[in-house]
């Protein structure tokens, strides 16, 4: 939670009063504090203590140009999962040797882009993908640097995160199974176009304990030790997943994960080896809010509904993962709080942000907190709703505004198909 209240009691993010942002850009609007995002990159970087490392920001968490450029300016690279994300990272000025590319089903066109850009590592996710990557390298008459993404097969109970965002267990589509690793390794070595430079894993997201991350890292380092004499690896990538406090607590910081992994690396005998991590959520979630206006209040029987102009199309996390985000009034709270069910306008019962204690009256704007990650990037135009605006604040000022599209733009776009 990165918001506070100013002397007048108004909700503030990054030194800017959110009611002023609403007056400027309307609602629903995502607001992000770029200065805080930058500080987060510096904190993770410092935790490496001068060791060779790459903080590869997982662009999928928040792909807004100002955000990607801000993390890049602090020295971060990028973890991308599609051709457009790769093009975005390059366009934001991230050098190719600081970009890693994961994905279970990269198309030939996407692989061609990665081969042409000569990125740090195409992270191969199956034995079968090896031949496809080699074929694209041959077509371009290039050698390509690859890493093997390993599925560390940590059991779901140890992972202890929402099943929808756990990736490193044996029923997940991601990575090469431990039992197939030998085959993937030999397949890569057999292709003269492929240069094996690393091993990688990503075990899941929103870990509020270090244990699952360290268990996965240990398995990765054990595999690296088995093959190190046959392939000179240049990096080991332990993925993203550092959790944040959505209000239920998170006793560990990103730096704690990094320090734990460094210790594991040293124990495995890889001191000096470049470590890569792929944080997404932890760099942006707490530094963004979704600003929304109250449209309708409704009291029916015992229930008090607060109907706002942001819906599941703008922020799908509650509907998709039963996630809870704190919701607070933007204006100074001026009445006793009562339980209210905050819901959006979308015609689905799951368009429900949950019950919150909010002042009985006296506010027209709310901020949905910790919405800087997987908010805008997962938004859709469902129900004919324009994608929300985005406002970027820095040093107590609004730095950029990306306005919301006009509702008529959606109507025009839908009607355009099939028109003579
Ligand atoms: N690396 C890879 C290969 C990934 O698949 C992901 C996230 C990350 C890094 C970054 O993980 P993070 O540090 O953000 O936990 N939409 C979900 C989260 C999905 C995460 C997908 N992969 C949510 O809103 O909770």
């Amino acid at each position: 939670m990165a918001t506070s209240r100013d002397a007048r009691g108004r909700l503030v993010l990054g030194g800017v009063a959110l009611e002023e942002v609403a007056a400027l850009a309307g609602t629903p609007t995502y607001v992000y504090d770029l200065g805080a995002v930058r500080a987060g990159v510096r904190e993770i970087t410092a935790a490496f203590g001068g060791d060779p490392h790459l903080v590869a920001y997982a662009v999928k968490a928040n792909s807004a140009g100002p955000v990607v450029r801000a993390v890049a300016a602090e020295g971060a690279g990028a973890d991308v999962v599609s051709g457009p994300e790769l093009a975005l990272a390059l366009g934001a000025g991230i050098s190719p040797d600081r970009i890693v590319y994961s994905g279970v089903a990269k198309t030939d066109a996407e692989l061609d882009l990665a081969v042409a850009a000569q990125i740090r590592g195409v992270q191969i996710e199956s034995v079968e993908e090896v031949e496809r990557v080699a074929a694209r390298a041959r077509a371009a008459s290039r050698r390509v640097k690859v890493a093997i993404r390993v599925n560390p097969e940590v059991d779901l109970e140890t992972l202890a995160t929402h099943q929808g965002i756990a990736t490193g267990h044996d029923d997940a589509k991601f990575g090469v199974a431990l039992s197939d690793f030998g085959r993937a390794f030999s397949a890569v070595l057999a292709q003269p176009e492929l240069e094996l430079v690393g091993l990688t894993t990503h075990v899941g997201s929103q870990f509020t304990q270090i244990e699952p991350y360290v268990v996965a890292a240990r398995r990765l380092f054990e595999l690296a030790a088995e093959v190190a004499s046959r392939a000179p690896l240049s990096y080991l990538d332990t993925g993203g997943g550092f959790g944040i406090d959505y209000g239920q607590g998170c006793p560990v910081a990103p730096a704690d994960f990094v320090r734990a992994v460094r210790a594991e690396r040293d124990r495995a005998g890889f001191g000096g080896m470049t470590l890569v991590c792929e944080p997404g959520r932890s760099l942006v979630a707490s530094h963004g809010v979704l600003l929304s206006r109250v449209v309708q209040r409704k009291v029916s029987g015992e229930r008090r509904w607060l109907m706002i102009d942001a819906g599941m199309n703008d922020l799908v996390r509650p509907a998709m993962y039963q996630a809870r985000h704190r919701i607070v009034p933007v204006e100074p709270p001026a009445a006793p709080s009562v339980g209210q069910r905050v819901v959006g306008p979308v015609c689905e019962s799951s368009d429900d942000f949950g019950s919150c204690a909010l002042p009985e009256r006296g506010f027209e704007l709310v901020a949905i907190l910790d919405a800087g990650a997987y908010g805008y990037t997962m938004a859709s135009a469902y129900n004919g709703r324009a994608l929300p605006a985005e406002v970027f604040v820095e040093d107590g000022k609004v730095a950029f505004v990306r306005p919301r599209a006009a509702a008529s733009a959606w109507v025009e776009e839908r009607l355009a198909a099939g028109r003579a």
Side-chain angles (χ1 to χ4, degrees), residues 158 203 207-218 241-243 250-261 264:
T158 307
V203 73
F207 293 120
T208 53
Q209 300 292 335
I210 293 175
E211 177 71 4
Y213 196 80
V214 167
V215 168
R218 197 175 298 144
F242 312 153
C250 179
V252 286
D256 299 324
F257 287 86
V258 170
R259 282 191 285 266
V261 166
E264 282 299 326

Side-chain angles (χ1 to χ4, degrees), residues 1 95 166-167 171 229 233-234 323 353 411:
M1 178 165 74
S95 78
T167 49
D171 192 32
S229 62
L233 303 175
S234 66
F353 296 107
V411 179

Side-chain angles (χ1 to χ4, degrees), residues 47-127:
F48 281 102
D51 281 6
H53 69 277
L54 173 66
V55 178
Y57 168 57
V59 169
K60 65 170 82 66
N62 186 324
S63 55
V67 169
V68 181
R69 282 190 288 265
V71 300
E74 297 299 333
D79 160 55
V80 301
V81 292
S82 70
E85 280 193 1
L86 172 54
L88 175 81
L90 292 167
I94 298 178
S95 78
D97 65 354
R98 302 180 77 73
I99 300 177
V100 292
Y101 181 2
S102 310
V104 295
K106 309 176 194 81
T107 65
D108 284 357
E110 290 176 316
L111 288 171
D112 287 347
L113 197 63
V115 170
Q118 307 259 273
I119 62 171
R120 174 74 153 257
V122 174
Q123 316 215 110
I124 291 180
E125 301 230 12
S126 59
V127 179

Side-chain angles (χ1 to χ4, degrees), residues 29-406:
T29 292
Y30 278 99
V31 193
Y32 314 112
D33 177 0
L34 292 177
V37 172
R38 287 172 188 278
V41 178
R42 291 198 292 270
E43 249 168 61
I44 295 185
T45 304
F48 281 102
D51 281 6
H53 69 277
L54 173 66
V55 178
Y57 168 57
V59 169
K60 65 170 82 66
N62 186 324
S63 55
V67 169
V68 181
R69 282 190 288 265
V71 300
E74 297 299 333
D79 160 55
V80 301
V81 292
S82 70
E85 280 193 1
L86 172 54
L88 175 81
L90 292 167
I94 298 178
S95 78
D97 65 354
R98 302 180 77 73
I99 300 177
V100 292
Y101 181 2
S102 310
V104 295
K106 309 176 194 81
T107 65
D108 284 357
E110 290 176 316
L111 288 171
D112 287 347
L113 197 63
V115 170
Q118 307 259 273
I119 62 171
R120 174 74 153 257
V122 174
Q123 316 215 110
I124 291 180
E125 301 230 12
S126 59
V127 179
E128 293 79 356
E129 194 187 359
V130 174
E131 169 51 38
R132 285 189 55 238
V133 179
R136 300 327 303 158
R138 267 196 300 280
S141 306
R142 284 251 166 87
R143 273 198 103 203
V144 55
K145 293 190 169 68
V146 300
I148 299 173
R149 174 167 174 181
V150 177
N151 183 329
E153 296 169 35
V154 181
D155 57 84
L156 269 170
E157 212 170 300
T158 307
L159 290 179
T161 190
H162 189 279
Q163 194 160 350
I165 55 175
T167 49
H169 57 87
D170 72 353
D171 192 32
K173 66 181 176 178
F174 300 98
V176 172
L178 292 174
S179 54
D180 293 333
F181 178 74
R183 281 202 301 136
F185 180 74
S186 308
V188 170
L189 291 197
Q191 300 285 351
E193 296 83 5
L194 304 186
E195 181 188 351
L196 184 65
V197 294
L199 299 186
T200 176
T201 191
H202 169 75
V203 73
S205 200
Q206 183 51 15
F207 293 120
T208 53
Q209 300 292 335
I210 293 175
E211 177 71 4
Y213 196 80
V214 167
V215 168
R218 197 175 298 144
R219 290 199 182 154
L220 190 77
F221 297 158
E222 281 165 9
L223 279 182
E226 281 172 30
V227 300
S229 62
R230 282 174 288 154
L233 303 175
S234 66
Y235 75 80
L236 294 171
D237 175 353
T238 48
F242 312 153
I244 68 127
D245 182 6
Y246 283 103
Q248 293 93 40
C250 179
V252 286
D256 299 324
F257 287 86
V258 170
R259 282 191 285 266
V261 166
R262 283 174 66 200
E264 282 299 326
R265 177 206 52 191
D266 294 349
R267 255 195 291 282
F270 284 108
M273 167 75 78
T274 298
L275 287 178
V276 179
C277 64
E278 304 173 352
R281 183 193 317 268
S282 54
L283 285 175
V284 286
S286 313
H287 311 309
V289 303
L290 176 56
L291 195 54
S292 180
R293 183 169 291 278
V294 177
V295 176
Q296 181 75 59
R297 290 178 160 89
K298 167 173 164 180
V299 179
S300 63
E302 296 291 290
R303 288 202 175 77
R304 270 171 192 275
W305 301 93
L306 189 76
M307 290 151 172
I308 62 175
D309 68 357
M312 63 188 283
N313 72 296
D314 303 300
L315 179 66
V316 76
R317 302 193 68 257
M320 199 159 166
Y321 316 110
Q322 297 72 53
R324 291 299 307 269
H325 287 251
R326 287 166 286 189
I327 302 178
V328 295
V330 168
E331 296 92 337
S337 286
V338 290
Q340 306 183 36
R341 202 63 173 276
V342 184
V343 296
V346 172
C347 291
E348 298 241 6
S349 294
S350 50
D351 185 23
D352 187 339
F353 296 107
S355 291
C356 295
L358 283 161
E360 208 170 351
R361 60 184 175 275
F363 66 96
E364 293 307 321
L365 294 166
V366 292
I368 305 179
L369 304 185
D370 308 307
Y374 305 110
Y376 186 87
T377 53
M378 296 180 80
S380 78
Y382 186 39
N383 278 201
R385 291 170 47 76
L387 293 176
E390 293 178 293
V391 171
F392 305 85
V393 304
E394 183 146 39
D395 298 331
K397 287 195 288 288
V398 170
F400 312 101
V401 177
R402 195 194 53 71
R404 190 173 192 223

